[in-house]
């Protein structure tokens, strides 16, 4: 019997011709319900946003690889995987450009008030009912990047066409990016106090959870805009809502939320000062295909007895 590969319904967009590259060596099942359906028999799992922890792994005795469909793996307990000799892989690099493109779409979408302009054109322009929703120029603004890793550096690269000053805060110094793009490294406090646009590109870890809260919003400029395409829980949403209502900052452009899908009752959704998208910064035809190819290649390597090429950093030296 061929080993069983499960594709979580949470991944969406895994084209059948991509998963089909496994068909000579595995039986591939696209799950419709939750992950637990066939998990007792599965050798490999293509994981969406579901929590993979010790409790889950205890139900998966044959599992050898949990392949995340994405770069972030905060939903995967890597220590628990390592303890059970389960490889944890992800899909770095292939989505950085797409997420950076979308980050800029959010920045410009907010600065030029795209959602309101769109609604205005459809409903009010011809009747000259209301005033045009004026936006703000990029020229002269400070773009602050929190986390200058794979995605943050792609956002920086795309900033070069705009007349903006760029700065970053990161635990790691990035001298080659500083030299190449003239970006300045600053401490977190300076980033908060100086940025006109503050864009977040850190992974979700115990250290980054809630790192943008009431105290941080209190330090930001009243004209500042917060952009997030990383993980929702990096921002304390309740504090953000208060900061926006109290006009401590001008606005926010968000692709990610504390809870996803974000509930319709989320008070953030009632604010005109917020532009939102449904956690889809990597959701282009090209990028989702590349993500699928990368995840499937990780599974294929495992099934063929090779080391998966994209192990998460904590497992880089693992040999099971
Ligand atoms: C995807 C992401 O939306 O790469 C990530 O970590 O959050 C996104 O690219 C998600 O992984 C799809 O499951």
């Amino acid at each position: 019997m061929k080993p069983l590969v499960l594709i979580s319904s949470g991944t969406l967009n895994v084209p059948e011709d991509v998963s089909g590259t496994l068909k000579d060596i595995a039986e591939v099942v696209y799950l419709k319900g939750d992950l637990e359906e066939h998990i007792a028999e599965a050798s490999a799992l293509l994981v969406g946003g579901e929590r993979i922890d010790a409790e889950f792994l205890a139900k998966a005795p044959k599992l050898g690889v949990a392949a995340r469909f994405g770069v972030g793996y905060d939903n995967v307990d890597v220590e628990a995987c390592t303890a059970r000799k389960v490889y944890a892989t992800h899909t770095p690099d292939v989505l950085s450009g797409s997420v950076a493109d979308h980050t800029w779409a959010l920045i410009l979408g907010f600065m030029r008030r795209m959602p309101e302009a769109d609604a205005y054109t459809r409903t009010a322009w011809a009747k000259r009912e209301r005033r045009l929703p004026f936006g703000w120029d990029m020229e002269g603004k400070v773009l602050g990047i929190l986390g200058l890793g794979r995605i943050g550096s792609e956002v920086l690269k795309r900033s070069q066409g705009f007349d903006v000053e760029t700065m970053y805060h990161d635990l790691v110094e990035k001298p080659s990016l500083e030299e190449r793009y003239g970006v300045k490294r600053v401490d977190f406090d300076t980033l908060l106090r100086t940025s006109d646009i503050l864009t977040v590109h850190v992974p979700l870890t115990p250290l980054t959870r809630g790192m943008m809260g009431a105290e941080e919003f209190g330090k930001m400029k009243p004209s500042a805009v917060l952009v997030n395409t990383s993980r929702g829980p990096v921002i304390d949403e309740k504090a953000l809502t208060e900061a926006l209502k109290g006009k401590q900052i001008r606005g926010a452009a968000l692709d990610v939320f504390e809870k996803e899908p974000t509930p319709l009752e989320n008070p953030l959704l009632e604010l005109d000062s917020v532009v939102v998208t449904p956690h889809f910064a990597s959701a282009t035809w090209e990028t989702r295909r590349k993500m699928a190819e990368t995840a499937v290649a990780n599974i294929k390597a495992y099934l063929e007895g090779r080391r998966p090429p994209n192990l998460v950093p904590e497992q880089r030296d693992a040999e099971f």
Side-chain angles (χ1 to χ4, degrees):
M1 233 176 66
K2 288 182 194 163
L4 178 64
V5 175
L6 299 182
I7 303 194
S8 143
S9 58
T11 60
L12 308 170
N13 315 89
V14 175
E16 284 185 19
D17 65 309
V18 176
S19 61
T21 59
L22 295 171
K23 73 171 185 296
D24 289 341
I25 54 169
E27 188 197 339
V28 178
V29 172
Y30 280 79
L31 293 175
K32 293 198 174 58
D34 69 36
L35 284 186
E36 310 213 346
E37 224 174 307
H38 301 281
I39 198 63
E41 295 305 320
S43 297
L45 177 63
L46 214 152
V47 188
E50 306 85 357
R51 180 103 196 113
I52 306 296
D53 55 15
E55 195 189 331
F56 174 80
L57 292 169
K59 297 175 196 148
K62 295 189 182 168
L63 199 69
V65 60
R68 254 288 288 151
F69 184 71
V71 63
Y73 53 94
D74 42 280
N75 56 321
V76 177
D77 181 338
V78 178
E79 246 179 71
C81 287
T82 307
R84 294 193 74 104
K85 301 196 188 324
V86 172
Y87 283 123
T89 69
H90 63 152
T91 64
D93 303 316
V94 291
L95 49 72
S96 305
S98 186
V99 176
D101 287 352
H102 188 64
T103 303
W104 273 97
L106 284 174
I107 294 173
L108 293 171
F110 182 91
M111 296 297 272
R112 304 313 293 261
R113 301 181 68 178
M114 284 307 182
E116 286 155 279
D118 181 283
Y120 175 89
T121 312
R122 291 169 198 265
T123 60
W125 190 26
K127 297 186 241 165
R128 296 180 193 279
E129 265 178 16
R130 295 194 304 266
R131 287 171 49 188
L132 277 180
F134 281 9
W136 297 273
D137 285 329
M138 290 303 296
E139 187 183 356
K141 301 293 188 292
V142 173
L143 173 69
I145 303 175
L146 181 58
L148 196 59
R150 293 186 185 92
I151 295 170
S153 58
E154 287 293 321
V155 171
L156 172 66
K157 186 165 130 192
R158 284 158 179 71
S159 73
Q160 301 301 292
F162 294 91
D163 258 331
V164 291
E165 193 185 333
T166 53
M167 27 188 86
Y168 76 102
H169 176 66
D170 197 299
L171 298 178
V172 183
E173 201 182 344
K174 310 279 169 147
S176 62
L177 293 173
E178 289 176 26
E179 197 178 318
R180 184 156 179 200
Y181 297 115
V183 65
K184 193 169 144 208
R185 186 175 184 218
V186 294
D187 57 35
F188 187 34
D189 206 71
T190 307
L191 194 84
L192 292 168
R193 293 185 192 280
T194 319
S195 299
D196 294 297
I197 295 146
L198 178 52
T199 183
V200 182
H201 302 287
V202 292
L204 179 63
T205 67
L207 281 180
T208 62
R209 186 177 285 275
M211 86 183 278
M212 293 297 303
E215 196 185 325
E216 287 70 30
F217 298 132
K219 293 177 181 173
M220 291 172 73
K221 294 179 179 175
S223 57
V225 182
L226 179 67
V227 181
N228 191 10
T229 53
S230 65
R231 282 293 180 270
V234 173
I235 294 175
D236 176 342
E237 267 179 23
K238 201 159 170 258
L240 175 62
T241 310
E242 291 310 309
L244 289 165
K245 281 187 178 162
K247 306 223 179 305
Q248 273 183 308
I249 65 171
R250 176 176 285 154
L254 309 169
D255 184 51
V256 287
F257 299 86
E258 274 180 1
K259 183 173 183 299
E260 294 180 354
T262 194
L264 292 174
E265 304 74 44
N266 184 345
L268 273 175
L269 302 183
E270 282 163 27
L271 303 177
D272 288 340
S273 51
V274 176
V275 173
V276 286
T277 53
H279 194 154
F280 83 148
S282 68
T284 62
W285 294 108
E286 299 90 336
T287 293
R288 284 290 166 97
R289 188 175 178 85
K290 284 188 258 175
M291 288 163 67
E293 285 167 353
T294 308
V296 166
N298 282 316
I299 291 175
K300 193 160 194 244
Y302 166 72
L303 294 177
E304 290 175 346
R306 293 178 285 118
R307 253 170 93 77
N310 303 106
L311 291 173
V312 299
E314 295 88 333
Q315 281 196 351
R316 223 150 252 170
D317 300 322
E319 198 74 70
F320 302 143

